[in-house]
């Protein structure tokens, strides 16, 4: 038996496995009792969205021989390393006195807890979790997860039907007693404190001062898109943010993915009647008000720059209706007005305050940057209008 050919596996750092353990992963990915590992090669997966608790993300492709077969079988898995925020490369930006609070409030272990739970068996119709082959604590501050490399449906696009199906799934998730009972226990008070910490931390240090000041609005890409009415509206939002947070937290807490953007809802199958999603990135799973997950569902593609915020005026009503239908499917009859208010308040806080101040504003001015910022400014207008319509 020849030794397996391994390429770039050291790139996985603390997530790396020895050849014997790699063979076990390959066997799980190929649904075989055991295999002979022939090759494995790691490549980095870039993730454009800011995330301080992702220490690395890689794809490992390889080949293995199953039993006495002459031919090799290919396999592909994804490796994700989650970490304490103290290991984040930008931790020096956080004042020392706030770092302990950040560790206490930022749930970096949550994703591994989700995959280690029975949530996969409780997922409602229309969604599933990726298969997980191994979860290993590499040390006290890092955990490595080896998972299925999900293949999206070729040519799948986020049209109205996809948004509607995703919103229905998120409503079913929120209303499901099976999800609540079999997933990680909802820690309502801790989840509430985590959301408050968003305002106390990045909100108070960066977002709110940026909106209230003048420098943000002088950046050429922002100055071209923002008008005095929008600036005044966002400044008003900063003054009422704490009150909106308490209002949102006072609403009944239901299971929420926490970061249900289209980027985390991988389209696996569309048959004209419904969509099947593989749902990934559960790091912010927890208890939140009804409608919370609609915020990232609507904002995700705008934040990425592949959809304009103007589209949200059309998409929000159909997503809200579908979400409420999903709640009803799960046996929860929450008034649509209550769902919409929770959605509006939470989206105002977690999207409205972050819509304009993207990290990409540090880039040189360009047409592409201006298009991105214009789309996000439109989203900020939508968020303010949505909140006003529910006040």
């Amino acid at each position: 038996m020849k030794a397996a050919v391994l390429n770039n596996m050291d790139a996985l750092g603390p997530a790396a496995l020895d050849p014997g353990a790699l063979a076990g992963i390959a066997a799980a990915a190929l649904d075989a009792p055991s295999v002979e590992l022939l090759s494995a090669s790691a490549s980095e997966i870039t993730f454009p969205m800011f995330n301080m608790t992702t220490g690395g993300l890689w794809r490992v492709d390889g080949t293995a021989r199953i039993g006495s077969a002459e031919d090799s079988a290919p396999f592909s898995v994804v490796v994700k390393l989650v970490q304490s925020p103290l290991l984040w490369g930008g931790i020096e930006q956080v004042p020392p006195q706030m770092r302990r609070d950040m560790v206490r409030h930022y749930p970096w272990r949550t994703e591994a807890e989700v995959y280690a739970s029975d949530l996969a068996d409780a997922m409602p119709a229309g969604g599933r979790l990726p298969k997980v082959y191994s979860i290993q604590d590499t040390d006290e501050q890092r955990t490595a997860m080896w998972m299925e490399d999900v293949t999206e449906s070729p040519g799948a696009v986020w049209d109205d039907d996809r948004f509607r199906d995703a919103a229905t799934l998120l409503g079913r998730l929120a209303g499901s007693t099976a999800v609540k009972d079999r997933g990680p226990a909802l820690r309502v008070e801790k989840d509430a404190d985590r959301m408050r910490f968003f305002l106390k931390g990045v909100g108070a240090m960066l977002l709110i001062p940026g909106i209230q000041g003048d420098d943000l609005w002088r950046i050429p890409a922002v100055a071209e898109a923002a008008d005095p009415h929008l600036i005044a509206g966002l400044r008003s939002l900063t003054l009422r943010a704490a009150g909106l947070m308490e209002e949102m937290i006072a609403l009944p807490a239901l299971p929420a993915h926490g970061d249900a953007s289209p980027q985390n809802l991988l389209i696996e199958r569309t048959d004209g009647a419904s969509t099947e999603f593989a749902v990934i990135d559960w790091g912010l799973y927890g208890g939140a008000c009804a409608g919370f997950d609609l915020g990232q569902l609507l904002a995700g593609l705008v934040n990425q720059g592949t959809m304009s915020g103007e589209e949200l005026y059309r998409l929000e009503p159909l997503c809200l209706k579908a979400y409420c239908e999903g709640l009803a499917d799960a046996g929860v009859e929450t008034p649509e007005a209550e769902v919409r208010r929770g959605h509006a308040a939470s989206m105002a806080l977690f999207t409205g305050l972050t819509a304009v101040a993207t990290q990409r504003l540090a880039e040189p001015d360009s047409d592409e940057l201006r298009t991105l910022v214009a789309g996000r400014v439109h989203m900020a207008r939508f968020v303010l209008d949505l909140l006003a319509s529910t006040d």
Side-chain angles (χ1 to χ4, degrees), residues 59-346:
R59 176 173 287 108
V60 174
D61 295 299
T63 58
R65 182 176 291 112
I66 302 174
S68 60
E70 293 185 6
D71 296 331
S72 62
F75 68 90
S76 181
V77 297
V78 168
V79 187
K80 184 172 185 178
L81 185 70
V82 293
Q83 66 184 19
S84 163
L86 291 178
L87 300 181
W88 171 48
I91 191 64
E92 295 301 323
Q93 302 173 34
V94 180
Q97 67 272 19
M98 293 197 67
R99 294 177 193 175
R100 183 179 299 176
D101 283 345
M102 180 163 46
V103 172
R104 187 167 69 249
H105 293 300
Y106 212 99
W108 69 271
R109 292 183 175 88
T110 300
E111 186 167 14
E113 292 171 353
V114 167
Y115 288 132
S117 75
D118 292 328
L119 181 59
D121 298 326
M123 283 293 288
R128 73 174 183 91
L129 269 62
K131 297 174 184 176
V132 179
Y133 307 129
S134 175
I135 301 174
Q136 297 185 347
D137 292 332
T138 64
D139 55 42
E140 292 183 352
Q141 297 191 88
R142 288 177 288 203
T143 299
M145 299 174 292
W146 291 70
M147 302 177 288
E148 172 189 6
D149 187 3
V150 177
T151 301
E152 287 199 82
S153 177
V157 295
W158 276 88
D159 55 18
D160 286 7
D161 289 337
R162 301 295 82 74
F163 275 100
R164 186 182 295 109
D165 290 344
T168 302
L169 170 62
L170 295 172
R172 290 172 180 160
L173 179 82
S176 171
T177 55
V179 167
K180 190 173 183 179
D181 292 341
R182 303 185 71 177
L186 297 186
R187 296 165 287 198
V188 176
E189 288 301 320
K190 286 189 175 182
D191 289 332
D193 286 343
R194 170 173 57 85
M195 288 188 276
R196 291 186 182 104
F197 186 69
F198 167 76
L199 285 183
K200 177 183 175 183
V202 67
M205 290 191 301
L206 297 174
L207 300 174
I208 290 174
I211 292 170
Q212 292 177 342
D214 294 324
D215 291 348
L216 173 65
W217 311 109
R218 291 173 178 154
I219 296 172
V222 177
E224 180 179 77
D227 57 68
H229 181 71
L230 172 79
I231 297 171
L234 287 176
R235 286 174 171 166
S236 177
L237 174 61
T238 66
L239 299 178
R240 58 184 301 206
L244 286 171
M245 180 67 75
E246 295 309 310
E247 178 187 347
M248 181 193 74
I249 287 172
L251 294 171
L254 301 175
H257 177 277
D259 190 14
S261 66
Q263 294 91 329
N264 292 334
L265 302 172
L266 307 182
I267 300 170
E268 288 197 288
R269 183 179 64 80
T270 60
D271 60 10
S274 62
T275 309
E276 295 291 331
F277 298 96
V279 188
I280 63 171
D281 282 6
W282 289 83
L284 293 177
Y285 174 80
C289 63
F292 183 93
D293 275 339
L294 290 176
Q296 283 303 309
L297 176 63
L298 291 167
L301 297 183
V302 182
N303 286 331
Q304 183 176 279
T306 54
M307 187 175 80
S308 171
E310 292 176 301
E311 295 291 310
L312 303 186
Y313 288 95
R314 178 180 55 81
L315 287 171
E316 191 272 340
L318 70 86
C319 286
L320 177 70
K321 182 175 183 293
Y323 183 95
C324 290
E325 289 171 353
L327 281 174
D329 288 348
V332 176
E333 298 291 344
T334 303
E336 183 175 302
E338 180 178 316
V339 177
R340 193 165 192 249
R341 180 58 177 179
H343 160 45
S346 57

